[in-house]
Amino acid sequence: MSFLIISSQRDPKGWVQALKEKQPDLDLEVYPDVADPSKVEFALSWKHPHGIFKDYPNLKVIASMGAGIDHIIEDPDIPKNIKITRVIDEQLTRDMSVFVLALIMDYIRNLSFHYCSKEWKPTKYLRPEEIQVGIMGMGILGVGVAEKLIRNKFHVTGWSRTKKEILGVTTFHGDNELNNFLSETNVLVCLLPLTSETENILNKQLFEKLPEGAYVINVARGPHLVEEDLLEMIQKGHLSGAALDVFRKEPLPEDHPFWTNDKIRVTPHIASVTNPKTVVPQILDNYRRMQDGKELEKVVDREKEY
Ligand code: OXD
């Protein structure tokens, strides 16, 4: 029985080291150098090349290296009997919360503007108490971000598919309550899982429901956003700008208009990147559970797509 690592766009070295440290006798393979695909029962994966899993006849579990699992389930060739798991990790939540707070602070204190202006030109700034942040997606990351913002005196609302009650947050749910949620939101933060329902949700119709001058932050997935709609709404002045950490195509192509738009801040998918050391114990725990025929933890509902 072997354990496979597939890691496109992320260096697998840290994972190999962290796994070997915790379990030196682990029979580890790193894609594409796999001696015997029929021995692989567990795969730890980040952005695998689609279609490859059909070459692993005894594969039982695919564990995502991150919180998102869209990069796994978007592959139509994954047999339905294979279990998919994701990572839930306090450090990931903390990293995401701090990152979103930093983006909002940059926006309300005009920091990027001042760094780039090379002129002594004080600007008016906004205070957290004057800002309503609306978070779309009240899963573990959404709640973590909400708590961080509340502690820093922002007003926070949350929108999710199903009803949620979160201390200190005014919550909205479902399509019927989306307009109410949007109408008072000054800073919109997308932290939704990417599913067939949420793809393209950040579009012109939604942006039009935000108050004039609203700011958009996407730290979820690139396909949530209709890129031309964002550019149009910024150009019209309806949106004051955006901070984007995720993109339809990553790395963001060099000639993409986001790079040169002075109202758009681009970061290279760095909001919260899994630290192998902190999550390897939960991955190995699931590996052992699989070996012992026990129920796995953090299993994804493939119907719900998250
Ligand atoms: C994740 C990510 O899903 O890094 O963890 O985007």
Side-chain angles (χ1 to χ4, degrees):
M1 184 184 301
S2 66
F3 184 117
L4 174 67
I5 298 184
I6 306 169
S7 181
S8 316
Q9 293 181 17
R10 284 184 181 176
D11 188 350
K13 271 200 231 97
W15 290 97
V16 173
Q17 208 181 347
L19 284 160
K20 283 285 182 193
E21 246 166 51
K22 281 275 166 223
Q23 192 172 327
D25 64 347
L26 190 65
D27 186 359
L28 199 56
E29 307 263 23
V30 181
Y31 183 85
D33 301 320
V34 184
D36 181 359
S38 70
K39 277 174 67 193
V40 174
E41 294 192 18
F42 191 102
L44 173 63
S45 179
W46 185 255
K47 300 199 176 172
H48 68 278
H50 286 191
I52 61 160
F53 287 125
K54 58 180 177 332
D55 300 333
Y56 296 83
N58 296 313
L59 185 67
K60 295 194 177 69
V61 180
I62 305 174
S64 172
M65 280 183 187
I69 50 85
D70 48 291
H71 60 101
I72 299 174
I73 59 172
E74 71 192 10
D75 177 352
D77 289 330
I78 295 182
K80 289 277 170 271
N81 62 316
I82 292 187
K83 294 249 184 299
I84 297 173
T85 64
R86 68 189 186 112
V87 155
I88 298 179
D89 176 47
E90 273 177 28
Q91 187 175 327
L92 268 186
T93 310
R94 274 198 305 275
D95 288 355
M96 179 59 85
S97 318
V98 170
F99 190 76
V100 172
L101 176 65
L103 293 179
I104 301 178
M105 292 314 295
D106 175 66
Y107 167 58
I108 66 175
R109 301 303 303 257
N110 305 317
L111 295 180
S112 297
F113 168 78
H114 289 297
Y115 296 148
C116 299
S117 90
K118 311 269 180 244
E119 265 187 88
W120 193 270
K121 202 169 164 190
T123 50
K124 254 186 80 186
Y125 60 84
L126 295 164
R127 298 190 170 83
E129 309 80 294
E130 297 171 86
I131 303 290
Q132 181 146 314
V133 182
I135 302 172
M136 295 183 86
M138 294 308 280
I140 287 166
L141 294 178
V143 172
V145 170
E147 286 168 352
K148 173 66 94 198
L149 295 175
I150 290 167
R151 277 200 296 279
N152 284 279
K153 305 280 181 258
F154 288 91
H155 299 286
V156 181
T157 61
W159 180 84
S160 45
R161 207 172 64 92
T162 54
K163 194 170 166 55
K164 300 265 162 81
E165 273 174 34
I166 299 143
L167 197 67
V169 182
T170 310
T171 53
F172 298 83
H173 72 280
D175 291 342
N176 292 343
E177 297 187 3
L178 184 58
N179 289 355
N180 283 349
F181 162 77
L182 294 170
S183 67
E184 306 276 316
T185 293
N186 310 115
V187 176
L188 182 72
V189 179
C190 180
L191 269 165
L192 288 164
L194 180 64
T195 67
S196 22
E197 272 179 38
T198 64
E199 183 166 359
N200 296 326
I201 193 165
L202 300 178
N203 59 33
K204 188 169 163 180
Q205 290 71 35
L206 180 141
F207 294 145
E208 279 169 347
K209 311 266 165 50
L210 291 167
E212 179 124 12
Y215 192 73
V216 173
I217 294 179
N218 189 13
V219 278
R221 286 291 182 257
H224 284 124
L225 175 68
V226 181
E227 298 184 340
E228 316 77 72
D229 289 4
L230 178 79
L231 288 166
E232 183 187 331
M233 296 305 273
I234 289 178
Q235 203 255 328
K236 281 187 173 154
H238 182 73
L239 295 177
S240 57
L244 308 174
D245 185 55
V246 286
F247 304 90
R248 285 188 179 261
K249 188 161 182 343
E250 293 181 7
L252 185 65
E254 274 174 34
D255 58 353
H256 198 288
F258 287 167
W259 285 117
T260 48
N261 190 309
D262 63 1
K263 302 266 168 48
I264 298 180
R265 311 274 173 250
V266 171
T267 47
H269 202 145
I270 50 162
S272 67
V273 179
T274 322
N275 177 353
K277 278 207 159 119
T278 64
V279 302
V280 149
Q282 60 179 271
I283 306 255
L284 283 176
D285 178 53
N286 261 345
Y287 181 60
R288 287 184 207 112
R289 283 169 180 272
M290 179 204 75
Q291 286 177 313
D292 298 346
K294 289 193 185 146
E295 290 256 326
L296 303 186
E297 305 270 9
K298 306 170 183 80
V299 177
V300 167
D301 180 335
R302 289 183 69 173
E303 288 295 306
K304 284 198 194 152
E305 303 174 52
Y306 61 89

